[in-house]
Coordinates of all heavy atoms in Angstrom, one line a residue:
M419 N 0.8 -1.2 0.0 CA 0.0 0.0 0.0 C 0.9 1.2 0.0 O 1.8 1.4 0.8 CB -0.9 0.0 1.2 CG -1.8 1.2 1.3 SD -2.8 1.0 2.8 CE -4.2 2.0 2.3
A420 N 0.7 2.1 -0.9 CA 1.5 3.3 -1.1 C 1.0 4.4 0.0 O -0.2 4.5 0.3 CB 1.3 3.9 -2.5
A421 N 2.0 5.1 0.5 CA 1.7 6.1 1.5 C 1.2 7.3 0.8 O 1.4 7.5 -0.4 CB 2.9 6.5 2.3
G422 N 0.4 8.2 1.5 CA -0.1 9.4 0.9 C 1.0 10.5 1.1 O 2.0 10.4 1.7
T423 N 0.7 11.7 0.4 CA 1.5 12.8 0.5 C 0.8 14.0 1.2 O -0.3 14.3 0.8 CB 1.9 13.3 -1.0 OG1 2.5 12.2 -1.6 CG2 2.8 14.4 -1.0
F424 N 1.5 14.5 2.2 CA 0.9 15.7 3.0 C 1.0 16.9 2.1 O 2.1 17.2 1.6 CB 1.6 15.8 4.3 CG 1.2 17.0 5.1 CD1 0.0 17.0 5.8 CD2 1.9 18.2 5.1 CE1 -0.5 18.0 6.5 CE2 1.4 19.3 5.8 CZ 0.3 19.2 6.5
K425 N -0.1 17.7 2.0 CA -0.1 18.9 1.3 C -1.0 19.9 2.0 O -1.8 19.6 2.8 CB -0.6 18.7 -0.2 CG 0.3 17.8 -1.0 CD -0.1 17.8 -2.4 CE 0.9 16.9 -3.2 NZ 0.6 16.9 -4.7
T426 N -0.9 21.2 1.6 CA -1.7 22.3 2.1 C -2.1 23.2 1.0 O -1.5 23.3 0.0 CB -0.9 23.1 3.2 OG1 0.2 23.7 2.6 CG2 -0.5 22.2 4.4
L427 N -3.2 24.0 1.3 CA -3.6 25.1 0.4 C -4.5 26.0 1.2 O -4.8 25.8 2.4 CB -4.4 24.5 -0.8 CG -5.8 23.8 -0.5 CD1 -6.9 24.8 -0.4 CD2 -6.0 22.8 -1.6
Q428 N -4.7 27.2 0.6 CA -5.6 28.2 1.2 C -6.7 28.5 0.2 O -6.4 28.6 -1.0 CB -4.9 29.4 1.7 CG -3.9 29.1 2.8 CD -3.4 30.3 3.5 OE1 -3.8 31.5 3.2 NE2 -2.4 30.1 4.4
K429 N -7.9 28.7 0.6 CA -9.0 29.1 -0.2 C -9.8 30.2 0.4 O -10.2 30.1 1.6 CB -9.9 27.8 -0.4 CG -11.2 28.0 -1.1 CD -11.0 28.4 -2.6 CE -12.3 28.5 -3.3 NZ -12.2 29.0 -4.6
S430 N -10.1 31.2 -0.4 CA -11.0 32.3 0.0 C -12.2 32.3 -0.8 O -12.2 32.0 -2.0 CB -10.3 33.6 -0.1 OG -9.2 33.7 0.8
V431 N -13.3 32.8 -0.2 CA -14.6 32.9 -1.0 C -14.7 34.3 -1.5 O -14.7 35.3 -0.7 CB -15.8 32.6 -0.1 CG1 -17.1 32.8 -0.8 CG2 -15.7 31.1 0.4
A432 N -14.7 34.5 -2.8 CA -14.8 35.8 -3.4 C -16.0 36.6 -3.1 O -15.9 37.7 -2.7 CB -14.6 35.7 -4.9
A433 N -17.2 35.9 -3.2 CA -18.4 36.6 -2.9 C -19.2 35.8 -1.9 O -19.6 34.7 -2.1 CB -19.2 36.7 -4.2
A434 N -19.5 36.4 -0.7 CA -20.3 35.8 0.3 C -21.6 35.3 -0.2 O -22.2 36.0 -1.1 CB -20.5 36.7 1.5
G435 N -22.0 34.1 0.2 CA -23.3 33.6 -0.3 C -23.1 32.7 -1.6 O -24.1 32.3 -2.1
T436 N -21.9 32.5 -2.0 CA -21.6 31.7 -3.2 C -20.7 30.5 -2.8 O -19.6 30.7 -2.3 CB -20.9 32.5 -4.2 OG1 -21.7 33.7 -4.6 CG2 -20.6 31.7 -5.5
A437 N -21.3 29.3 -2.9 CA -20.5 28.1 -2.5 C -19.4 27.9 -3.5 O -19.5 28.1 -4.7 CB -21.4 26.9 -2.5
E438 N -18.2 27.6 -3.0 CA -17.0 27.4 -3.8 C -16.3 26.1 -3.4 O -16.1 25.9 -2.2 CB -16.0 28.5 -3.8 CG -16.6 29.8 -4.3 CD -15.6 30.9 -4.3 OE1 -14.3 30.7 -4.3 OE2 -16.0 32.1 -4.3
S439 N -15.9 25.2 -4.3 CA -15.1 24.0 -4.0 C -13.8 24.4 -3.4 O -13.2 25.4 -3.9 CB -14.9 23.2 -5.2 OG -14.1 22.1 -5.0
I440 N -13.4 23.7 -2.4 CA -12.1 24.0 -1.8 C -10.9 23.6 -2.7 O -9.8 24.0 -2.6 CB -11.8 23.4 -0.4 CG1 -11.9 21.9 -0.4 CG2 -12.8 24.1 0.6 CD1 -11.5 21.3 0.9
Y441 N -11.3 22.7 -3.7 CA -10.3 22.3 -4.7 C -11.0 22.2 -6.0 O -11.6 21.2 -6.4 CB -9.7 20.9 -4.3 CG -8.5 20.5 -5.2 CD1 -7.2 21.1 -4.9 CD2 -8.7 19.7 -6.2 CE1 -6.2 20.7 -5.7 CE2 -7.6 19.3 -7.0 CZ -6.4 19.8 -6.8 OH -5.3 19.5 -7.6
A442 N -10.9 23.2 -6.8 CA -11.7 23.3 -8.1 C -10.9 22.9 -9.3 O -11.3 23.0 -10.4 CB -12.2 24.7 -8.3
A443 N -9.7 22.4 -9.1 CA -8.8 22.0 -10.2 C -9.0 20.6 -10.7 O -8.2 20.1 -11.4 CB -7.3 22.2 -9.8
G444 N -10.2 20.0 -10.3 CA -10.5 18.6 -10.8 C -10.5 17.7 -9.6 O -10.5 18.1 -8.5
S445 N -10.7 16.4 -9.9 CA -10.8 15.4 -8.9 C -9.5 15.2 -8.1 O -8.4 15.2 -8.7 CB -11.2 14.1 -9.6 OG -11.3 13.1 -8.6
L446 N -9.6 15.1 -6.8 CA -8.4 14.9 -6.0 C -8.8 14.0 -4.8 O -9.5 14.5 -3.9 CB -7.7 16.2 -5.5 CG -6.5 16.0 -4.6 CD1 -5.4 15.4 -5.4 CD2 -6.1 17.3 -4.0
E447 N -8.4 12.8 -4.8 CA -8.8 11.8 -3.7 C -7.8 12.0 -2.5 O -6.6 12.0 -2.7 CB -8.7 10.4 -4.2 CG -9.9 10.1 -5.2 CD -9.9 8.7 -5.5 OE1 -8.9 8.0 -5.6 OE2 -11.1 8.2 -5.8
V448 N -8.4 12.2 -1.4 CA -7.6 12.3 -0.1 C -8.1 11.4 0.9 O -9.3 11.0 0.9 CB -7.7 13.8 0.4 CG1 -7.1 14.7 -0.6 CG2 -9.0 14.2 0.8
S449 N -7.3 11.0 1.9 CA -7.7 10.1 3.0 C -7.9 10.9 4.3 O -8.6 10.4 5.1 CB -6.7 9.0 3.2 OG -5.4 9.5 3.5
E450 N -7.2 12.0 4.4 CA -7.4 12.9 5.5 C -7.5 14.3 5.1 O -6.9 14.7 4.1 CB -6.1 12.8 6.4 CG -5.7 11.4 6.8 CD -6.4 10.8 7.9 OE1 -7.0 11.6 8.7 OE2 -6.5 9.6 8.0
L451 N -8.4 15.1 5.7 CA -8.6 16.4 5.3 C -9.0 17.3 6.6 O -9.8 16.9 7.4 CB -9.8 16.5 4.4 CG -10.3 17.8 3.9 CD1 -9.3 18.6 3.1 CD2 -11.6 17.6 3.0
S452 N -8.3 18.4 6.7 CA -8.6 19.3 7.8 C -8.8 20.7 7.3 O -8.0 21.2 6.5 CB -7.4 19.3 8.8 OG -7.7 20.1 9.9
V453 N -9.9 21.3 7.7 CA -10.2 22.6 7.2 C -10.3 23.6 8.4 O -11.0 23.3 9.3 CB -11.6 22.6 6.5 CG1 -12.0 24.0 6.0 CG2 -11.6 21.6 5.3
K454 N -9.5 24.7 8.3 CA -9.5 25.6 9.4 C -9.8 27.0 8.9 O -9.3 27.5 8.0 CB -8.1 25.6 10.1 CG -8.0 26.6 11.3 CD -6.6 26.5 11.9 CE -6.6 27.4 13.1 NZ -5.3 27.3 13.8
A455 N -10.8 27.6 9.6 CA -11.2 29.0 9.2 C -10.0 29.9 9.6 O -9.4 29.8 10.6 CB -12.4 29.4 10.0
K456 N -9.7 30.8 8.6 CA -8.5 31.7 8.8 C -8.8 32.6 10.1 O -9.9 33.0 10.3 CB -8.3 32.6 7.6 CG -7.8 31.8 6.4 CD -7.6 32.8 5.2 CE -7.1 32.0 4.0 NZ -6.9 32.9 2.9
S457 N -7.7 32.8 10.8 CA -7.9 33.6 12.1 C -8.3 35.1 11.8 O -8.8 35.8 12.6 CB -6.6 33.6 12.9 OG -5.5 34.1 12.1
T458 N -8.0 35.5 10.5 CA -8.3 36.9 10.1 C -9.8 37.1 9.6 O -10.2 38.2 9.3 CB -7.4 37.4 9.1 OG1 -7.4 36.4 8.0 CG2 -5.9 37.4 9.6
N459 N -10.5 36.0 9.5 CA -11.9 36.1 9.1 C -12.7 37.0 10.0 O -12.6 36.9 11.2 CB -12.6 34.7 9.1 CG -12.1 33.8 7.9 OD1 -11.3 34.2 7.1 ND2 -12.5 32.5 8.0
T460 N -13.6 37.7 9.4 CA -14.5 38.6 10.2 C -15.9 38.0 10.2 O -16.8 38.5 11.0 CB -14.6 40.0 9.6 OG1 -15.0 40.0 8.2 CG2 -13.2 40.7 9.7
G461 N -16.2 37.0 9.4 CA -17.5 36.3 9.4 C -17.4 34.8 9.6 O -16.3 34.4 10.0
L462 N -18.5 34.1 9.4 CA -18.5 32.7 9.6 C -18.2 32.0 8.3 O -18.4 32.5 7.2 CB -19.8 32.2 10.1 CG -20.2 32.7 11.5 CD1 -21.7 32.3 11.8 CD2 -19.3 32.2 12.6
I463 N -17.6 30.7 8.4 CA -17.4 29.8 7.2 C -18.4 28.7 7.4 O -18.7 28.2 8.5 CB -16.0 29.3 7.2 CG1 -15.0 30.4 7.0 CG2 -15.8 28.1 6.2 CD1 -15.0 31.0 5.6
F464 N -19.0 28.3 6.2 CA -19.9 27.2 6.2 C -19.4 26.1 5.3 O -19.0 26.3 4.1 CB -21.3 27.6 5.7 CG -21.7 28.9 6.4 CD1 -21.6 30.1 5.8 CD2 -22.3 28.8 7.7 CE1 -22.0 31.3 6.5 CE2 -22.7 30.0 8.3 CZ -22.5 31.2 7.7
I465 N -19.3 24.8 5.8 CA -18.7 23.7 5.0 C -19.9 22.8 4.6 O -20.7 22.5 5.5 CB -17.7 22.9 5.8 CG1 -16.5 23.8 6.3 CG2 -17.2 21.7 5.0 CD1 -15.6 23.1 7.2
G466 N -19.9 22.3 3.4 CA -20.9 21.3 3.0 C -20.7 20.9 1.5 O -19.5 20.9 1.0
N467 N -21.8 20.5 0.9 CA -21.7 20.1 -0.5 C -21.9 21.3 -1.4 O -21.8 22.5 -1.0 CB -22.7 19.0 -0.8 CG -24.2 19.4 -0.6 OD1 -24.5 20.6 -0.6 ND2 -25.0 18.5 -0.4
S468 N -22.2 21.1 -2.7 CA -22.2 22.2 -3.7 C -23.4 23.2 -3.4 O -23.4 24.3 -4.0 CB -22.3 21.6 -5.1 OG -23.5 20.9 -5.2
S469 N -24.3 22.8 -2.6 CA -25.4 23.8 -2.2 C -25.3 24.3 -0.8 O -26.2 24.9 -0.3 CB -26.8 23.1 -2.4 OG -26.9 22.0 -1.5
V470 N -24.1 24.3 -0.3 CA -23.9 24.8 1.1 C -24.2 26.3 1.1 O -23.9 27.1 0.2 CB -22.5 24.5 1.6 CG1 -21.4 25.3 0.9 CG2 -22.4 24.8 3.1
D471 N -24.8 26.7 2.2 CA -25.0 28.1 2.5 C -25.1 28.3 4.0 O -24.9 27.3 4.8 CB -26.2 28.7 1.8 CG -27.5 28.1 2.1 OD1 -27.7 27.6 3.2 OD2 -28.4 28.1 1.2
S472 N -25.5 29.5 4.5 CA -25.5 29.7 5.9 C -26.7 29.0 6.6 O -26.6 28.8 7.8 CB -25.7 31.2 6.2 OG -26.9 31.7 5.6
S473 N -27.6 28.4 5.9 CA -28.7 27.7 6.5 C -28.5 26.2 6.6 O -29.2 25.5 7.4 CB -30.0 27.9 5.7 OG -29.9 27.2 4.5
N474 N -27.4 25.7 6.0 CA -27.3 24.2 6.0 C -25.8 23.8 6.2 O -25.6 22.6 6.2 CB -27.9 23.6 4.8 CG -27.2 24.0 3.5 OD1 -26.1 24.5 3.5 ND2 -27.9 23.9 2.4
G475 N -24.9 24.6 6.3 CA -23.5 24.3 6.4 C -23.0 24.0 7.8 O -23.6 24.5 8.8
Y476 N -21.9 23.3 7.9 CA -21.2 23.1 9.2 C -20.5 24.4 9.5 O -19.7 24.9 8.6 CB -20.3 21.9 9.1 CG -19.6 21.6 10.4 CD1 -20.2 20.8 11.4 CD2 -18.4 22.2 10.7 CE1 -19.6 20.5 12.6 CE2 -17.8 21.9 12.0 CZ -18.4 21.0 12.9 OH -17.8 20.8 14.1
I477 N -20.7 25.0 10.6 CA -20.3 26.4 10.9 C -18.9 26.4 11.5 O -18.7 25.7 12.5 CB -21.3 27.1 11.7 CG1 -22.6 27.2 11.0 CG2 -20.8 28.5 12.1 CD1 -23.7 27.7 11.9
L478 N -18.0 27.2 11.0 CA -16.7 27.5 11.6 C -16.5 29.0 11.9 O -16.7 29.8 10.9 CB -15.6 27.0 10.8 CG -15.4 25.5 10.5 CD1 -14.2 25.3 9.6 CD2 -15.2 24.8 11.8
A479 N -16.2 29.4 13.1 CA -15.8 30.8 13.4 C -14.3 30.9 13.1 O -13.6 29.9 13.0 CB -16.2 31.1 14.8
A480 N -13.8 32.1 13.1 CA -12.4 32.4 12.9 C -11.6 31.5 13.8 O -11.8 31.4 15.0 CB -12.1 33.8 13.1
G481 N -10.6 30.8 13.2 CA -9.7 29.9 14.0 C -10.2 28.5 14.3 O -9.4 27.7 14.8
E482 N -11.5 28.2 14.1 CA -12.0 26.9 14.4 C -11.7 26.0 13.2 O -11.5 26.4 12.1 CB -13.5 26.9 14.6 CG -13.9 27.6 15.9 CD -15.4 27.6 16.1 OE1 -16.2 27.5 15.1 OE2 -15.8 27.7 17.3
S483 N -11.7 24.6 13.5 CA -11.3 23.7 12.4 C -12.3 22.5 12.5 O -12.9 22.2 13.5 CB -9.9 23.2 12.5 OG -9.7 22.5 13.8
F484 N -12.2 21.7 11.4 CA -13.0 20.5 11.2 C -12.2 19.5 10.4 O -11.6 19.9 9.5 CB -14.3 20.8 10.5 CG -15.2 19.6 10.3 CD1 -16.0 19.1 11.4 CD2 -15.3 18.9 9.1 CE1 -16.8 18.0 11.3 CE2 -16.1 17.8 9.0 CZ -16.9 17.3 10.1
S485 N -12.1 18.3 10.9 CA -11.3 17.3 10.2 C -12.2 16.1 9.7 O -13.1 15.7 10.4 CB -10.2 16.7 11.1 OG -9.3 17.8 11.4
F486 N -11.8 15.6 8.5 CA -12.4 14.4 7.9 C -11.3 13.4 8.0 O -10.2 13.7 7.6 CB -12.8 14.6 6.5 CG -13.7 15.7 6.2 CD1 -13.3 17.0 6.1 CD2 -15.0 15.5 6.0 CE1 -14.1 18.1 5.8 CE2 -15.9 16.5 5.7 CZ -15.5 17.8 5.6
S487 N -11.6 12.2 8.4 CA -10.6 11.1 8.5 C -11.1 9.8 7.9 O -12.1 9.3 8.4 CB -10.1 10.9 9.9 OG -9.2 9.9 10.0
N488 N -10.5 9.4 6.8 CA -10.9 8.1 6.1 C -12.4 8.0 6.0 O -13.0 7.0 6.4 CB -10.3 6.9 6.9 CG -8.8 6.8 6.8 OD1 -8.3 7.1 5.8 ND2 -8.2 6.4 7.9
L489 N -12.9 9.0 5.4 CA -14.4 9.1 5.2 C -14.8 7.9 4.3 O -14.2 7.6 3.3 CB -14.8 10.4 4.5 CG -14.7 11.6 5.4 CD1 -15.1 12.8 4.6 CD2 -15.6 11.4 6.6
L490 N -16.0 7.4 4.6 CA -16.5 6.3 3.7 C -17.7 6.9 2.9 O -18.8 6.5 3.0 CB -17.0 5.2 4.6 CG -15.9 4.5 5.4 CD1 -16.5 3.4 6.3 CD2 -14.9 3.9 4.5
L491 N -17.3 7.9 2.1 CA -18.3 8.5 1.2 C -17.9 8.4 -0.2 O -16.7 8.5 -0.6 CB -18.5 10.0 1.6 CG -18.9 10.3 3.0 CD1 -18.9 11.8 3.2 CD2 -20.3 9.8 3.2
S492 N -18.9 8.3 -1.1 CA -18.6 8.3 -2.5 C -18.7 9.7 -3.0 O -19.1 10.6 -2.3 CB -19.5 7.4 -3.3 OG -20.8 8.0 -3.4
R493 N -18.4 9.9 -4.3 CA -18.5 11.3 -4.9 C -20.0 11.8 -4.8 O -20.2 12.9 -4.9 CB -18.0 11.2 -6.3 CG -16.5 11.1 -6.3 CD -16.0 10.9 -7.7 NE -14.6 10.7 -7.8 CZ -14.0 9.6 -7.4 NH1 -14.6 8.6 -6.9 NH2 -12.6 9.5 -7.5
R494 N -20.9 10.9 -4.7 CA -22.3 11.3 -4.6 C -22.8 11.3 -3.2 O -24.0 11.5 -2.9 CB -23.2 10.3 -5.4 CG -22.9 10.4 -6.9 CD -23.9 9.6 -7.7 NE -23.6 9.7 -9.1 CZ -22.7 8.9 -9.8 NH1 -22.1 7.9 -9.2 NH2 -22.5 9.1 -11.1
G495 N -22.0 11.1 -2.2 CA -22.4 11.1 -0.8 C -22.9 9.9 -0.2 O -23.4 9.8 0.9
A496 N -23.0 8.8 -1.0 CA -23.5 7.5 -0.5 C -22.4 6.7 0.2 O -21.2 6.9 -0.1 CB -24.0 6.7 -1.7
V497 N -22.8 5.9 1.2 CA -21.8 5.1 1.9 C -21.2 4.1 1.0 O -21.8 3.5 0.1 CB -22.5 4.4 3.1 CG1 -21.5 3.5 3.8 CG2 -23.0 5.4 4.1
T498 N -19.8 3.9 1.1 CA -19.1 3.0 0.2 C -17.9 2.4 1.0 O -17.6 2.9 2.1 CB -18.6 3.8 -1.0 OG1 -17.9 2.8 -1.8 CG2 -17.7 4.9 -0.7
D499 N -17.3 1.5 0.5 CA -16.1 0.9 1.1 C -14.8 1.6 0.6 O -13.7 1.1 1.0 CB -16.0 -0.6 0.9 CG -15.9 -1.0 -0.5 OD1 -15.9 -0.1 -1.4 OD2 -15.9 -2.2 -0.8
D500 N -14.9 2.6 -0.2 CA -13.7 3.3 -0.6 C -13.3 4.4 0.4 O -14.1 5.3 0.7 CB -14.0 4.0 -2.0 CG -12.8 4.7 -2.5 OD1 -11.7 4.7 -1.9 OD2 -12.9 5.3 -3.6
P501 N -12.2 4.2 1.1 CA -11.8 5.1 2.2 C -11.3 6.5 1.8 O -10.5 7.1 2.5 CB -10.8 4.3 3.0 CG -10.1 3.5 1.9 CD -11.2 3.2 0.9
F502 N -11.7 7.0 0.6 CA -11.2 8.3 0.2 C -12.3 9.2 -0.2 O -13.4 8.7 -0.5 CB -10.3 8.1 -1.1 CG -9.1 7.3 -0.8 CD1 -9.0 5.9 -1.1 CD2 -7.9 7.8 -0.2 CE1 -7.9 5.1 -0.8 CE2 -6.8 7.1 0.0 CZ -6.8 5.7 -0.2
I503 N -12.0 10.5 -0.1 CA -13.0 11.5 -0.5 C -12.4 12.3 -1.6 O -11.2 12.6 -1.6 CB -13.5 12.3 0.7 CG1 -14.6 13.3 0.3 CG2 -12.3 13.1 1.3 CD1 -15.3 14.0 1.4
D504 N -13.3 12.7 -2.6 CA -12.8 13.6 -3.6 C -12.9 15.0 -3.1 O -14.0 15.5 -2.8 CB -13.7 13.4 -4.8 CG -13.3 14.3 -6.0 OD1 -12.4 15.2 -5.8 OD2 -13.8 14.1 -7.1
M505 N -11.8 15.7 -2.9 CA -11.8 17.0 -2.3 C -12.6 18.0 -3.1 O -13.0 19.0 -2.6 CB -10.3 17.5 -2.1 CG -10.2 18.4 -0.9 SD -8.5 18.5 -0.3 CE -7.7 19.6 -1.5
N506 N -12.8 17.8 -4.4 CA -13.6 18.6 -5.3 C -15.0 18.7 -4.8 O -15.7 19.6 -5.2 CB -13.4 18.1 -6.7 CG -14.1 19.0 -7.7 OD1 -15.3 18.7 -8.1 ND2 -13.5 20.0 -8.1
T507 N -15.5 17.7 -4.0 CA -16.9 17.7 -3.6 C -17.1 18.4 -2.2 O -18.2 18.4 -1.7 CB -17.4 16.3 -3.5 OG1 -16.7 15.6 -2.4 CG2 -17.2 15.5 -4.8
V508 N -16.1 19.0 -1.6 CA -16.2 19.7 -0.4 C -16.2 21.2 -0.7 O -15.3 21.7 -1.3 CB -15.0 19.4 0.6 CG1 -15.1 20.2 1.9 CG2 -14.9 17.9 0.8
Y509 N -17.3 21.9 -0.3 CA -17.5 23.3 -0.6 C -17.5 24.1 0.7 O -17.8 23.6 1.7 CB -18.8 23.5 -1.3 CG -18.8 23.0 -2.8 CD1 -18.7 21.7 -3.1 CD2 -18.8 24.0 -3.8 CE1 -18.7 21.3 -4.5 CE2 -18.8 23.6 -5.1 CZ -18.7 22.3 -5.5 OH -18.7 21.9 -6.8
I510 N -17.1 25.4 0.5 CA -17.3 26.4 1.5 C -18.1 27.6 1.0 O -18.1 27.8 -0.2 CB -15.9 26.8 2.1 CG1 -15.1 27.5 1.0 CG2 -15.2 25.7 2.8 CD1 -13.8 28.3 1.6
D511 N -18.7 28.2 2.0 CA -19.3 29.5 1.7 C -18.9 30.4 2.9 O -18.4 29.9 3.9 CB -20.8 29.4 1.6 CG -21.5 30.6 1.1 OD1 -20.8 31.6 0.8 OD2 -22.8 30.7 1.2
S512 N -19.1 31.7 2.8 CA -18.7 32.6 3.9 C -19.8 33.6 4.1 O -20.6 33.9 3.1 CB -17.4 33.2 3.7 OG -17.4 34.1 2.5
G513 N -19.8 34.2 5.2 CA -20.7 35.3 5.5 C -20.1 36.7 5.1 O -20.8 37.7 5.1
T514 N -18.8 36.7 4.8 CA -18.1 37.9 4.4 C -17.3 37.7 3.2 O -16.5 36.7 3.2 CB -17.3 38.4 5.6 OG1 -18.1 38.5 6.8 CG2 -16.6 39.7 5.4
N515 N -17.3 38.6 2.3 CA -16.4 38.5 1.1 C -15.0 38.4 1.5 O -14.5 39.1 2.4 CB -16.6 39.8 0.2 CG -17.9 39.9 -0.4 OD1 -18.7 39.0 -0.4 ND2 -18.2 41.1 -1.0
G516 N -14.3 37.5 0.9 CA -12.8 37.3 1.1 C -12.4 36.4 2.3 O -11.3 36.1 2.4
D517 N -13.4 36.1 3.1 CA -13.0 35.1 4.2 C -12.7 33.8 3.6 O -13.1 33.4 2.5 CB -14.2 35.0 5.2 CG -14.3 36.1 6.2 OD1 -13.4 37.0 6.2 OD2 -15.2 36.1 7.0
G518 N -11.9 33.0 4.4 CA -11.5 31.7 3.8 C -11.0 30.7 4.8 O -11.2 30.9 6.0
V519 N -10.3 29.7 4.3 CA -9.9 28.6 5.1 C -8.5 28.2 4.7 O -8.0 28.4 3.6 CB -10.8 27.3 4.9 CG1 -12.2 27.6 5.4 CG2 -10.8 26.9 3.5
S520 N -7.8 27.6 5.6 CA -6.5 26.9 5.4 C -6.9 25.4 5.4 O -7.7 24.9 6.2 CB -5.5 27.1 6.5 OG -5.1 28.5 6.5
V521 N -6.3 24.6 4.4 CA -6.6 23.2 4.3 C -5.3 22.4 4.3 O -4.3 22.7 3.7 CB -7.3 23.0 2.9 CG1 -7.7 21.5 2.7 CG2 -8.6 23.8 2.8
A522 N -5.3 21.3 5.1 CA -4.3 20.4 5.1 C -4.9 19.0 4.8 O -6.0 18.7 5.2 CB -3.6 20.3 6.5
Y523 N -4.1 18.2 3.9 CA -4.7 17.0 3.5 C -3.6 16.0 3.1 O -2.5 16.3 2.9 CB -5.6 17.2 2.3 CG -5.0 17.8 1.1 CD1 -4.5 17.1 0.0 CD2 -4.9 19.2 1.0 CE1 -4.0 17.7 -1.1 CE2 -4.3 19.8 -0.1 CZ -3.9 19.1 -1.2 OH -3.3 19.6 -2.3
I524 N -4.0 14.7 3.1 CA -3.2 13.6 2.7 C -3.7 13.2 1.3 O -4.8 12.6 1.2 CB -3.1 12.4 3.7 CG1 -2.8 12.9 5.1 CG2 -2.2 11.3 3.2 CD1 -1.4 13.4 5.2
E525 N -2.9 13.4 0.3 CA -3.3 13.1 -1.1 C -3.1 11.6 -1.3 O -2.0 11.1 -0.9 CB -2.5 13.9 -2.1 CG -2.9 13.6 -3.5 CD -2.2 14.5 -4.5 OE1 -1.4 15.3 -4.1 OE2 -2.5 14.3 -5.7
R526 N -4.0 10.9 -1.9 CA -3.9 9.5 -2.2 C -2.8 9.3 -3.2 O -2.8 10.0 -4.3 CB -5.2 9.0 -2.8 CG -5.1 7.5 -3.2 CD -6.5 7.1 -3.7 NE -6.5 5.7 -3.9 CZ -7.6 5.0 -4.2 NH1 -8.7 5.6 -4.4 NH2 -7.5 3.7 -4.4
N527 N -1.8 8.4 -2.9 CA -0.8 8.0 -3.9 C -1.3 6.7 -4.6 O -1.6 5.8 -3.9 CB 0.5 7.8 -3.3 CG 1.2 9.1 -2.9 OD1 0.8 10.2 -3.3 ND2 2.2 9.0 -2.0
N528 N -1.4 6.7 -5.9 CA -1.7 5.5 -6.5 C -0.5 4.6 -6.7 O 0.6 5.0 -7.0 CB -2.3 5.8 -7.9 CG -3.6 6.5 -7.8 OD1 -4.4 6.2 -7.0 ND2 -3.8 7.5 -8.7
G529 N -0.7 3.3 -6.4 CA 0.4 2.4 -6.6 C 0.3 1.3 -5.7 O -0.4 1.1 -4.8

């Protein structure tokens, strides 16, 4: 079994009220994912699927974090035995333009 590769990124929401994928560059399978609201945020961050907003997202205040570990979710959100999640399916929204998150993840290495 090939080990994963630790990586990081930062993502900001350009327009509050608009859900944005934390990784919009295509499919990226990860086994571990941690999302932390930037300490400089002035509003709340909402985590969810492509329809996330302030009424249905998991809420993070500035400096708070949420971690996914070996999720058993498919790209459509159904339970599966594949222990990876496509990071492209995790979205954030914010209550304030420009607020964002720092993301740490373990990228799946094929092999």
Side-chain angles (χ1 to χ4, degrees):
M419 179 180 204
T423 303
F424 176 78
K425 295 187 176 184
T426 61
L427 64 85
Q428 294 191 9
K429 170 70 179 172
S430 295
V431 175
T436 304
E438 297 184 22
S439 173
I440 61 171
Y441 189 81
S445 181
L446 180 65
E447 290 185 327
V448 299
S449 61
E450 307 282 337
L451 175 64
S452 182
V453 180
K454 182 176 182 179
K456 292 181 180 179
S457 62
T458 55
N459 288 352
T460 58
L462 298 173
I463 294 291
F464 310 99
I465 301 174
N467 62 20
S468 61
S469 62
V470 69
D471 62 28
S472 61
S473 70
N474 61 21
Y476 184 86
I477 301 171
L478 294 179
E482 292 183 333
S483 63
F484 182 77
S485 295
F486 303 82
S487 179
N488 292 324
L489 288 179
L490 297 179
L491 298 176
S492 73
R493 287 171 184 73
R494 293 187 180 89
V497 175
T498 180
D499 60 359
D500 183 359
F502 297 97
I503 186 169
D504 185 348
M505 210 160 78
N506 182 264
T507 66
V508 179
Y509 283 72
I510 61 168
D511 190 5
S512 66
T514 305
N515 293 347
D517 279 358
V519 297
S520 296
V521 179
Y523 59 97
I524 305 294
E525 182 177 1
R526 177 181 190 173
N527 287 346
N528 294 321

